[in-house]
Amino acid sequence: MLPASLIDLSDFSSEEWQKIVSLALKIKEHPEAYFGRCEGKILATLFYEPSTRTQMSFQTAMLRLGGQTIGFDNPMNSSVAKGENLRDTIKIISGYADILVIRHPMEGAAKAAALNADCPVINAGDGGHLHPTQTLTDLVTLMQEKGRLDHLTIGLCGDLKNGRTVHSLIKTLAPFQNRFVLISTKDLCIPQYIRDILDANGSSYEEVFSLEEAISELDVLYMTRIQKERFASQEEYDAQKDVYVLDKEKLSHAKGSLRILHPLPRVDEITVDVDDDSRAVYFKQAVNGVYARMALILTLLSSEEKTPVPTGKEIKTATCRNTKCITHTEPYLPSCFQECGDMLICDYCEDRFLI
Ligand code: NCD
């Protein structure tokens, strides 16, 4: 039984998400065979944060499948501006649409939405936490470019702390036999929970500072933008920006078979002259986002029996310590946690703390 919603790709078995990736590649080959498959269905896009690719690729995907779309891309033009809570907005829109896509600045918001929705919910990015449909896009691109998702040396470079695309990709690929080279400054290294997932899977990984030193051994380089909007101050952002810039000189030390991915948007972490290098596949990757999302919409709308969003144990006396967690702005949400030894793991944002 498939999960009803896509909040975290880890809620799907690897067979289930691999089927979605294969379907995306099939759709890419013969898109016309899938036109009209969602006729009469409505997809709602609720974007509480800016987006170009994710929002428009979802809209394109639904239109190509013959369905229609509704939604907002500025919550201040919706009843959110009048103080409506997430629960009520979701309740109402899930009564209008057949499937709902949400992007929100708070971590765990998509899960909170799914718990209150009467239709499938897709997480299109919840703060600095996860971005599973970007991961589907990345996996389609890796299959297309490398023909496999294992035995790869994958470098991830830039804002590994706040980059939700990085977290989702590592979580999904950790159980496969890949080697991760995590390239960042100390301040922007991966969160502890991602390190714990790598350890639990026995994954090989190293955390390094220098892109120059790491680049020659990589099969895949996943560049990311420094996530300005997640910084507490301009000074903190200024201290991190421009540390990593992939240019032609650095690329001259890389393998001919390297593939450079980037979820985009790019700021200045890849110079524009790299775009002409055949190893740069980020624009192809953005196009794959449409096929990945067509495959996902088709899968979620066609599965008959679905498992509800998994929830942990409600502990009324406990509060998540992560100030960016949705439980702080939507206080009616049940305080649910997974218990792990002497730690509690927040069900929404995965922040973990000692009891
Ligand atoms: C990413 C995101 O929103 O997390 N963009 C995207 O969806 N393609 C990456 C980013 O904004 O840096």
Side-chain angles (χ1 to χ4, degrees):
M1 263 204 303
L2 268 185
S5 292
L6 172 57
I7 306 307
D8 178 348
L9 264 187
S10 314
D11 298 336
F12 285 62
S13 68
S14 58
E15 290 75 29
E16 284 165 348
W17 63 249
Q18 284 183 53
K19 268 193 201 160
I20 301 175
V21 171
S22 308
L23 178 59
L25 289 164
K26 272 195 212 157
I27 299 174
K28 185 169 185 167
E29 284 292 302
H30 294 290
E32 68 291 345
Y34 298 85
F35 291 168
R37 292 275 186 104
C38 286
E39 212 180 311
K41 301 283 185 197
I42 295 177
L43 171 123
T45 52
L46 281 64
F47 276 64
Y48 292 76
E49 267 195 341
S51 171
T52 301
R53 271 152 295 276
T54 306
Q55 192 191 20
M56 290 196 197
S57 63
F58 263 115
Q59 291 169 341
T60 307
M62 193 50 160
L63 294 172
R64 292 224 185 275
L65 290 167
Q68 287 175 301
T69 67
I70 56 170
F72 59 75
D73 54 17
N74 178 357
M76 287 304 129
N77 290 336
S78 77
S79 283
V80 174
K82 301 180 190 171
E84 186 169 67
N85 68 19
L86 183 68
R87 175 191 160 97
D88 291 357
T89 306
I90 296 299
K91 202 85 198 136
I92 300 305
I93 300 177
S94 67
Y96 298 160
D98 299 283
I99 189 160
L100 198 151
V101 179
I102 181 168
R103 169 171 287 190
H104 198 284
M106 298 301 284
E107 299 181 13
K111 181 149 195 174
L115 291 174
N116 288 292
D118 298 320
C119 71
V121 170
I122 298 173
N123 182 4
D126 58 332
H129 182 217
L130 296 172
H131 194 347
T133 69
Q134 180 62 48
T135 299
L136 283 175
T137 303
D138 303 339
L139 298 175
V140 170
T141 309
L142 287 176
M143 281 307 290
Q144 177 187 275
E145 296 294 324
K146 288 282 172 192
R148 65 183 200 276
L149 301 174
D150 53 11
H151 296 93
L152 294 167
T153 298
I154 304 174
L156 296 108
C157 177
D159 192 344
L160 309 190
K161 178 183 176 199
N162 301 300
R164 54 196 174 193
T165 63
V166 168
H167 307 157
S168 280
L169 185 60
I170 295 179
K171 273 185 103 173
T172 308
L173 287 182
F176 293 79
Q177 286 186 312
N178 292 300
R179 186 171 151 244
F180 296 96
V181 183
L182 307 169
I183 308 158
S184 75
T185 62
K186 284 225 157 26
D187 288 331
L188 296 185
C189 64
I190 51 161
Q192 186 56 42
Y193 84 91
I194 295 291
R195 220 170 273 125
D196 291 346
I197 289 168
L198 286 166
D199 289 333
N201 281 286
S203 306
S204 154
Y205 69 96
E206 58 197 288
E207 300 190 64
V208 302
F209 172 74
S210 170
L211 173 59
E212 284 90 332
E213 284 171 25
I215 199 163
S216 61
E217 52 179 322
L218 304 179
D219 300 313
V220 175
L221 172 57
Y222 196 91
M223 288 297 292
T224 63
R225 168 181 75 88
I226 306 301
Q227 307 278 299
K228 186 176 182 184
E229 66 277 29
R230 313 266 178 242
F231 283 74
S233 68
Q234 180 72 36
E235 292 68 46
E236 285 174 60
Y237 170 70
D238 288 342
Q240 297 295 332
K241 71 175 180 142
D242 305 332
V243 175
Y244 296 104
V245 179
L246 177 67
D247 56 20
K248 282 209 148 177
E249 203 289 312
K250 288 191 194 86
L251 200 49
S252 68
H253 303 288
K255 291 182 189 171
S257 59
L258 173 77
R259 288 295 177 270
I260 307 157
L261 277 71
H262 190 313
L264 303 177
R266 154 178 56 191
V267 180
D268 53 10
E269 58 281 353
I270 302 181
T271 57
V272 289
D273 54 1
V274 170
D275 299 355
D276 300 330
D277 191 296
S278 59
R279 292 170 286 186
V281 296
Y282 31 86
F283 292 121
K284 287 192 205 169
Q285 184 186 357
V287 173
N288 287 339
V290 174
Y291 302 111
R293 290 171 176 118
M294 283 171 85
L296 175 65
I297 294 167
L298 270 175
T299 304
L300 289 181
L301 285 182
S302 60
S303 73
E304 289 292 322
E305 288 186 277
K306 295 171 192 154
T307 55
V309 184
T311 43
K313 185 173 162 194
E314 185 171 359
I315 306 178
K316 288 201 164 83
T317 50
T319 308
C320 177
R321 313 251 166 104
N322 173 11
T323 54
K324 294 176 178 171
C325 177
I326 188 71
T327 51
H328 295 292
T329 49
E330 305 287 330
Y332 54 82
L333 288 167
S335 296
C336 291
F337 298 88
Q338 309 284 336
E339 290 170 307
C340 182
D342 53 358
M343 304 272 274
L344 283 184
I345 302 175
C346 174
D347 232 15
Y348 300 89
C349 70
E350 290 183 84
D351 200 47
R352 44 201 68 198
F353 53 90
L354 286 170
I355 301 169

